[in-house]
Amino acid sequence: MLSTTKNLTVKDGSFMSVGNVHSVASERQLSPELELLGNHVISSALYDSVERHDPPKCHPHTREVVLKRIREWVDDPANLGRMMWITGAPGVGKSAIAETIAEGYLRAGQLAACCFFSRASSAGRAPGSQKTFLATLAYQLFQAIPEMQDGLLKALKDNPRIFNAIFIHQAKALIVEPLNNAAVRAAARSRPRVVIIDAMDECPEPQGQEHIFETISIRLGFPLVFLVTSRLTDNIQNLTTRLDLDAYNSDSDIEVFLQSKFQEIRQNHPGGYALPTPWPSKEQVDVLVKRACGQFRYATAVIEFVGSLQHPPSYRLEIVLSPLVGAEITSSPLEGLQLQISAANKKHSKSSWFSLSNITK
C-alpha cells in the first residue's frame, strides 16, 4: 500500500509531494499509476485551487435555516450513500452554500472531495468530461480515504488505458470498486464523508451530466453522502432528496447582508465620514431587498457598485435606487441593474464611468 501519499497535491496535471518527510521526494519517483491519474486531474475544480481564490460564501447569520437543513440531512445515518440535489434560480446563492458547507466539513474532517464546475477551466479542458471529472474525484478520494488507495492504484496498473474506456467503466474501476473494497476496512467509521459537486449545470455536455449522476446514484458500501448543486434540469432523475432554494424566503437574509455591507462602506470608504445617519435608510434597504427577488448575486453587485472607492457612495446609491423604467422593469434583477448603470453612463456621456466588474458573469 502507498501509505505516505496523503499529502500529495496536483500542479498543472502532475502530482507533487508535500508536507510529509516520508513522502516521495520528486514527481519522477512517483509511480506511473499516480502520474497517469495526475495527468487527468483538473486543478481548477478543486476546493483549494488558486483559480478559485476568494470564492463566494454565505455571509454570517444568513442562510441559517438552509445550512441547518443540509447538515441535518448529511448527519442522518439513514442517508448514507444517498444524494441531496440543491436547486435554485441563477444568482440565488447555490455556490456560496456549497462553499460554506464544504468549509464546515473540511474543519470537521469529513470532507472527502469537492468538484466546482466552471465552463472556463484549466487549459480549456472541461471538468465534466469522462477524462477529467472522474480523475479529479478519484484523486481527492485517494487523498481523503487511505483504505481505497490500494484498489485505485491496482485499477490504474491493471488498465493504463482506463481513461479511454466508456464513462461507466471508468466510474466502476476508479470510484465504485475501490470504495466498496475500502468499505470493509473502514467499517469502524461512524461519521459520513461528504462529496460536494457544485454547479453541475456548468458541465458542458448534457450527456456528461447524466453520466455523472448515474455514477453517484450507485449505492456504495463506503459511508459517503453526495451534495450536488445546479439549476433545475430534466437530465437528473431518481434522486433521494431535493432541496429547492427558491422555496425559501431569503429576504431577511439579504437584508442582513446589505445592512452589514453598507456599514462596512461607511467605515472603510474615504467618504464614509460624510454619509448621513442612518445610511441608507430602512426604506431604501427595503427597496433593494424587494428588487433582489431572492437573488444574492444582485445584492452583491449593488454593494460592489456602491462601494467603489473612486466614487461617492451616496451618489451611486441614488443610481441604484432610481425608478425602474422600460426594460429595467421586465428584466431580471441583475440585468435591470446593468440597464440602470448604462442609463447613468449615457446621461454623463461616459461609456464606462460606471460599471460592474465580473460579479455579473
Side-chain angles (χ1 to χ4, degrees), residues 287-346:
V287 170
L288 296 176
V289 170
K290 183 177 180 180
R291 289 186 181 180
C293 298
Q295 294 189 13
F296 273 86
R297 186 184 297 176
Y298 170 87
T300 301
V302 166
I303 293 300
E304 182 200 72
F305 180 73
V306 174
S308 169
L309 298 180
Q310 284 73 47
H311 303 88
S314 57
Y315 181 54
R316 284 205 152 194
L317 181 62
E318 288 180 11
I319 293 174
V320 172
L321 289 171
S322 61
L324 300 177
V325 296
E328 298 171 7
I329 300 175
T330 57
S331 301
S332 70
L334 201 58
E335 290 171 343
L337 178 60
Q338 291 174 308
L339 289 171
Q340 287 179 292
I341 294 170
S342 177
N345 284 327
K346 291 179 180 178

Side-chain angles (χ1 to χ4, degrees), residues 164-210:
N164 293 322
I166 63 174
F167 193 93
I168 190 62
H169 289 176
Q170 288 188 48
K172 289 180 178 179
L174 300 176
I175 307 294
V176 177
E177 292 175 1
L179 280 175
N180 284 339
N181 292 335
V184 177
R185 304 167 67 179
R189 289 186 185 270
S190 58
R191 297 186 302 170
R193 305 298 290 273
V194 182
V195 176
I196 297 175
I197 304 173
D198 179 51
M200 176 62 74
D201 49 296
E202 292 290 310
C203 176
E205 305 162 347
Q207 189 177 32
Q209 297 179 39
E210 295 177 19

Side-chain angles (χ1 to χ4, degrees), residues 47-104:
Y47 173 77
D48 57 355
S49 170
V50 67
E51 297 181 47
R52 300 187 59 252
H53 174 67
D54 195 24
K57 292 188 286 288
C58 295
H59 190 74
H61 310 297
T62 66
R63 290 303 203 183
E64 291 178 337
V65 173
V66 172
L67 295 174
K68 181 182 178 183
R69 171 75 179 90
I70 295 171
R71 289 168 182 145
E72 288 178 344
W73 184 88
V74 169
D75 295 336
D76 185 348
N79 293 322
L80 287 180
R82 296 175 183 265
M83 179 184 4
M84 174 182 278
W85 183 28
I86 303 170
T87 66
V92 77
K94 298 183 292 295
S95 291
I97 288 172
E99 182 72 26
T100 302
I101 289 292
E103 187 177 81

Side-chain angles (χ1 to χ4, degrees), residues 125-348:
R125 294 187 295 171
S129 73
Q130 64 179 17
K131 290 188 176 181
T132 53
F133 171 78
L134 288 174
T136 303
L137 179 59
Y139 156 68
Q140 295 177 85
L141 295 176
F142 183 91
Q143 287 188 306
I145 304 171
E147 296 92 344
M148 75 169 288
Q149 291 181 356
D150 280 346
L152 179 54
L153 290 174
K154 184 178 185 302
L156 292 167
K157 184 176 182 178
D158 290 347
N159 185 4
R161 297 180 61 81
I162 183 62
F163 293 106
N164 293 322
I166 63 174
F167 193 93
I168 190 62
H169 289 176
Q170 288 188 48
K172 289 180 178 179
L174 300 176
I175 307 294
V176 177
E177 292 175 1
L179 280 175
N180 284 339
N181 292 335
V184 177
R185 304 167 67 179
R189 289 186 185 270
S190 58
R191 297 186 302 170
R193 305 298 290 273
V194 182
V195 176
I196 297 175
I197 304 173
D198 179 51
M200 176 62 74
D201 49 296
E202 292 290 310
C203 176
E205 305 162 347
Q207 189 177 32
Q209 297 179 39
E210 295 177 19
H211 286 163
I212 292 169
F213 275 100
E214 288 173 4
T215 298
I216 62 180
S217 296
I218 298 173
R219 296 302 297 267
L220 300 169
F222 196 90
L224 286 180
V225 294
F226 295 88
L227 300 176
V228 181
T229 75
S230 78
R231 304 179 192 181
L232 192 61
T233 172
D234 294 332
N235 294 331
I236 306 168
Q237 300 177 1
N238 302 322
L239 297 174
T240 302
T241 302
R242 178 184 162 211
L243 182 66
D244 182 7
L245 296 180
D246 295 331
Y248 288 79
N249 189 324
S250 58
D251 286 357
S252 60
D253 288 337
I254 292 176
E255 181 180 358
V256 168
F257 170 80
L258 288 172
Q259 293 283 17
S260 176
K261 291 298 183 179
F262 280 130
Q263 182 64 24
E264 290 181 14
I265 292 174
R266 172 187 288 278
Q267 293 173 350
N268 301 327
H269 196 283
Y273 69 93
L275 294 171
T277 302
W279 181 88
S281 68
K282 176 67 166 60
E283 292 73 20
Q284 289 174 319
V285 173
D286 287 345
V287 170
L288 296 176
V289 170
K290 183 177 180 180
R291 289 186 181 180
C293 298
Q295 294 189 13
F296 273 86
R297 186 184 297 176
Y298 170 87
T300 301
V302 166
I303 293 300
E304 182 200 72
F305 180 73
V306 174
S308 169
L309 298 180
Q310 284 73 47
H311 303 88
S314 57
Y315 181 54
R316 284 205 152 194
L317 181 62
E318 288 180 11
I319 293 174
V320 172
L321 289 171
S322 61
L324 300 177
V325 296
E328 298 171 7
I329 300 175
T330 57
S331 301
S332 70
L334 201 58
E335 290 171 343
L337 178 60
Q338 291 174 308
L339 289 171
Q340 287 179 292
I341 294 170
S342 177
N345 284 327
K346 291 179 180 178
K347 180 178 180 181
H348 292 87

